[in-house]
Amino acid sequence: MVFLLRRLGFYVAAFLFAATFNFLIPRLMPGNPIDTMFAQAGTALPPESLDALKATFGFLDAPLPVQYLHYLGSVFTWDLGLSVKFYPLTVNQVLLRALPWTLLLVMTSSLTAFAIGSLAGARAAWRRGGTFDSVGAPGALMLQAVPPLVTSLLALSLFSISLKWLPTGFAWDPMLDLTWSWASVSSVLIHAVLPVATMALAQIGGYLVTMRNSMINLLGEDYITLGQAKGLSDRRLRLVYAAYNALLPALTSFAMSLGAVFGGSLVTEVVFNYPGLGYTLYEGITSRDYPLIQGQLLIMTLAMLSANFVADTLYILVDPRLRRA
């Protein structure tokens, strides 16, 4: 419990630190979205009308410390104001509309990559120097080195445009009314195949190498030798004795990658026109929608910190020594 409380305090401090940067970064950008909106429209407003419009969207004409305190208040009450791009929708409404789609992509691709990478890493470590270890591990690392933009465009070109096996984009068939019917569910699954596959491909190599290296360090332990002397099956020794005890570094890697995958989903969602948080952030950046950008980055921060806290909790379940820390 003491260990978890210490970690919780650390994550609260990290969230405040990240929220402060989240406040400063959009304000370092030149101009503001209201000026940009009317500049693009070629429309001029009287100064008093422009001030009233800025007040509507929450842009305070006040010193930076006052704006910061107002911002912190909105963060802790989760009142993120109105979206400039999607007015009259609030930022909360826009983000809640996009969040499930990104969660679907991130969790499905991450869990798939974690399962495949960890099992492959365990096999490569158990048969170290064999064909799978010599070919599979370097091949997975080569796939990881390919930028997600290239992987996404190649997959889109091959499977959607040339072969016409899968849809070219969006999260479901626009001709359908999205319900819980099988037609809608199957449409969502089919539209998620390419985004999930391209995001998973970029992660498998990392999990494979982490698991392989962690497990190789354990193969010389006495309990492995004792298991072999007792005549335990190869499968049980590999999965229960070796792989299970090598999971801690892989879990850390999994937790750390979730936040990065949230951010990395931007490229995939833009390529496949997928209506998730990444695509929403892209729309917010192009329109300088400061409230929307701040809200999206806050969700990314919370996702990363929450994933790390869950990993710390899993540590206690997997490693009993931490319960006495």
Side-chain angles (χ1 to χ4, degrees), residues 160-183:
S160 298
I161 297 175
S162 299
L163 300 176
K164 300 185 184 305
W165 288 353
L166 294 167
T168 56
F170 209 56
W172 70 90
D173 186 350
M175 301 300 291
L176 291 174
D177 290 330
L178 197 59
T179 61
W180 285 105
S181 65
W182 172 243

Side-chain angles (χ1 to χ4, degrees), residues 10-144:
F10 168 78
Y11 290 131
V12 170
F15 176 74
L16 288 175
F17 190 73
T20 302
F21 269 95
N22 192 24
F23 166 79
L24 291 175
I25 289 174
R27 284 161 179 79
L28 295 177
M29 297 166 64
N32 67 59
I34 302 297
D35 293 338
T36 303
M37 185 166 58
F38 284 98
Q40 290 174 347
T43 307
L45 280 179
E48 57 275 12
S49 299
L50 193 59
D51 291 339
L53 196 57
K54 289 180 180 178
T56 301
F57 285 102
F59 296 101
L60 294 180
D61 189 13
L64 208 58
V66 177
Q67 293 185 40
Y68 180 64
L69 291 177
H70 181 267
Y71 161 77
L72 283 183
S74 66
V75 168
F76 286 105
T77 57
W78 207 249
D79 179 13
L80 302 177
L82 293 168
S83 167
V84 176
K85 169 75 176 178
F86 299 98
Y87 181 82
L89 293 180
T90 65
V91 172
N92 290 347
Q93 290 172 318
V94 175
L95 295 179
L96 285 176
R97 187 177 61 182
L99 181 62
W101 299 113
T102 295
L103 282 178
L104 174 66
L105 292 190
V106 170
M107 296 309 298
T108 308
S109 63
S110 296
L111 290 174
T112 303
F114 180 75
I116 295 175
S118 297
L119 288 174
R123 181 178 178 81
W126 195 251
R127 305 291 184 195
R128 185 171 45 164
T131 304
F132 183 79
D133 186 33
S134 303
V135 177
L141 283 178
M142 287 175 63
L143 278 178
Q144 189 182 19

Side-chain angles (χ1 to χ4, degrees), residues 79-261:
D79 179 13
L80 302 177
L82 293 168
S83 167
V84 176
K85 169 75 176 178
F86 299 98
Y87 181 82
L89 293 180
T90 65
V91 172
N92 290 347
Q93 290 172 318
V94 175
L95 295 179
L96 285 176
R97 187 177 61 182
L99 181 62
W101 299 113
T102 295
L103 282 178
L104 174 66
L105 292 190
V106 170
M107 296 309 298
T108 308
S109 63
S110 296
L111 290 174
T112 303
F114 180 75
I116 295 175
S118 297
L119 288 174
R123 181 178 178 81
W126 195 251
R127 305 291 184 195
R128 185 171 45 164
T131 304
F132 183 79
D133 186 33
S134 303
V135 177
L141 283 178
M142 287 175 63
L143 278 178
Q144 189 182 19
V146 179
L149 175 62
V150 176
T151 312
S152 301
L153 288 176
L154 285 175
L156 181 68
S157 174
L158 178 61
F159 295 107
S160 298
I161 297 175
S162 299
L163 300 176
K164 300 185 184 305
W165 288 353
L166 294 167
T168 56
F170 209 56
W172 70 90
D173 186 350
M175 301 300 291
L176 291 174
D177 290 330
L178 197 59
T179 61
W180 285 105
S181 65
W182 172 243
S184 296
V185 172
S186 61
S187 177
V188 168
L189 294 177
I190 290 173
H191 281 74
V193 168
L194 280 183
V196 167
T198 52
M199 290 173 69
L201 274 178
Q203 303 174 64
I204 289 176
Y207 294 128
L208 190 155
V209 171
T210 301
M211 189 67 179
R212 177 186 178 276
N213 294 341
S214 175
M215 191 164 150
I216 283 177
N217 292 329
L218 295 176
L219 291 182
E221 296 289 334
D222 292 340
Y223 64 88
I224 300 290
T225 306
L226 179 61
Q228 290 172 329
K230 290 170 65 177
L232 297 179
S233 67
D234 187 83
R235 180 187 178 87
R236 185 176 180 187
L237 273 175
R238 173 161 50 94
L239 296 181
V240 179
Y241 280 63
Y244 179 78
N245 290 295
L247 267 180
L248 277 181
L251 282 176
T252 304
S253 176
F254 177 74
M256 295 293 292
S257 70
L258 282 181
V261 175

